[in-house]
Amino acid sequence: MAKSKKRKHHHDFHPPTHAAKADKTKSAVLVAGIFFSLLGIGIAYFAAGTNVVWLIAGAVLGAVGGYFFGLQIDKSFSKK
């Protein structure tokens, strides 16, 4: 029996076995770092006023805290 020329043919795609997996591009570290640095600036503003040194210190300490918080979130979500 003849095959229909309009019939869709099945083409199976098999990725090469040596292809490297793409790295995870989204990360909670950046978002947590930004959020915590803004939080640190806010706390420093209410504690010390508009003193630039304390605002920068609050931002740096907040960013460091956010970095570690984001790492913990990435670790907890990577577990399956």
Side-chain angles (χ1 to χ4, degrees), residues 6-71:
K6 294 182 181 180
R7 186 175 140 202
K8 292 184 180 181
H9 301 286
H10 296 85
H11 296 284
D12 292 333
F13 174 74
H14 299 287
T17 57
H18 64 279
K21 293 183 180 179
D23 289 338
K24 183 177 163 185
T25 57
K26 294 183 180 180
S27 176
V29 174
L30 179 64
V31 175
I34 292 171
F35 177 73
F36 276 65
S37 66
L38 291 175
L39 188 66
I41 289 173
I43 292 172
Y45 177 75
F46 285 116
T50 59
N51 190 349
V52 177
V53 174
W54 285 107
L55 292 176
I56 292 172
V60 169
L61 288 175
V64 169
Y67 172 77
F68 288 114
F69 182 75
L71 281 179

